[in-house]
Amino acid sequence: AVAGSTVELGCGAQGDPAPRVQWHKERGDLPWGRHEVDREHTLRLYAVTPSDAGTYVCTAQSQLGTAAATARLRV
């Protein structure tokens, strides 16, 4: 991604009951005040900086178990 741009990372998770979806960053925190997660579980990172580079993990959890997917961001 280009520094200063907005990045969207999608995470598709469905089930009955609907799973609880959470995003986190490996070895760090999501950028304070510069991220949001919408109803479709898409993580948006605003005004990305080189410090935002890294691996982001989407975890979906329900009574049936847990699944995770990762995305690697380069700035």
Side-chain angles (χ1 to χ4, degrees):
V2 177
S5 66
T6 297
V7 173
E8 293 187 358
L9 303 175
C11 181
Q14 50 193 2
D16 188 15
R20 191 176 62 124
V21 176
Q22 291 184 303
W23 278 97
H24 74 274
K25 182 180 179 188
E26 285 186 353
R27 297 183 201 88
D29 296 319
L30 294 174
W32 180 253
R34 294 187 296 109
H35 79 276
E36 70 177 7
V37 179
D38 68 16
R39 289 176 169 227
E40 285 77 43
H41 313 300
T42 298
L43 172 65
R44 279 188 193 81
L45 305 172
Y46 298 102
V48 294
T49 67
S51 66
D52 295 326
T55 301
Y56 291 80
V57 182
C58 171
T59 305
Q61 189 170 22
S62 75
Q63 298 162 338
L64 302 176
T66 301
T70 61
R72 180 174 261 157
L73 175 64
R74 281 185 241 147
V75 180

